[in-house]
Amino acid sequence: TSLEANVLIKVEITGKVALLTLNRSQALNALSSELMHELIAKMQQLEANPDIGCFVITGNSRVFCAGADIKEMQIKSCQQMIAEDYFSGWDQFAAIKIPKIAAVSGYALGGGCELAMMCDVIYAGDSAVFAQPEINLGVIPGIGGTQRLTHSVGKAKAMDLILTGRHMSAAEAEQGGLVARVFSDETLLEEALFAAQSISEKGRLSVALAKEAIDASMELPLAQGLVFERRVFHSLFSCREQQEGMAAFIEKRRADFSHD
Ligand code: HXC
């Protein structure tokens, strides 16, 4: 319908998994402010629902996302960029507590690669192409590319990619540590949804805290990170999830975390 054609983010819920499909294919899913607001609003609404345990974010077979919207940005001045704190809206996306899996086939360029990197896990189809091509536009990555890419693939590869703007294949991205697993394009979404379903059946609290502890490793010195982990581990012993998970093991049955 014409209404669906105007929707920039399609949402499909299966069990406890929300699949979000970027639906702006005429602009190769470029991240306009409108798309950003719609994506974040839908995710925040879903996050408030205790029946949702994991997100999968995907594009289409040709393009995951071609980046920030160059047509929207082109006319802006430096003063406007600073006054709007352009791209700061994406902090709310990164701050979503429920795990987000990016399922990437085709192009993930610039802000598209950065969108994938703001997710907790990236799975790629074998056609996936990652790049930070902003240098060709006379700018630099602006939604975390210089930071998150360097954290995942190391300085050598991040320099190489960001200074040349070259494309990186799914295989190279997996080898470099950006991508968790590569699947055939045909099975990518199915595999991503399968993993998301598996995550959504774990304890909500232990999943959120495991994610928080891993994220903390990006910020903290090792000794502090280890203390943070241990305290979080201790605190889980006040929660039903730990009682249920360990009792289920001893009783040789499958843990049921659905009431937590
Ligand atoms: C706005 C975009 C766009 C983008 C594509 N389109 N990418 N519009 N922002 N990032 C639009 C094109 O203008 C075109 O619109 C339509 O989508 C189809 O794109 P084509 O280029 O005609 O398709 P194709 O020839 O197949 O080439 C595909 C492509 C190329 C290789 C992905 O579109 C491309 O290089 N796009 C830009 C990639 C990029 O530089 N991304 C980084 C952006 S900056 P019309 O109206 O002509 O049909 C960024 C970082 C932000 O993300 C940080 C600071 C900048």
Side-chain angles (χ1 to χ4, degrees), residues 26-28 30 62 66-71 73 87 107 109-112 114 133-134 137 139-143:
Q26 75 285 1
L28 307 188
R62 181 171 169 242
D69 191 315
I70 299 169
K71 292 171 188 169
M73 276 187 296
F87 288 150
Y107 293 118
L109 306 182
E114 292 168 307
E134 291 88 348
L137 300 169
V139 291
I140 70 168
I143 322 177

Side-chain angles (χ1 to χ4, degrees), residues 8 22-32 35 60 62-71:
L8 297 173
L22 307 184
N23 185 36
R24 196 185 171 220
S25 56
Q26 75 285 1
L28 307 188
N29 291 334
L31 303 171
S32 59
L35 185 149
N60 55 56
R62 181 171 169 242
V63 59
F64 175 70
C65 168
D69 191 315
I70 299 169
K71 292 171 188 169

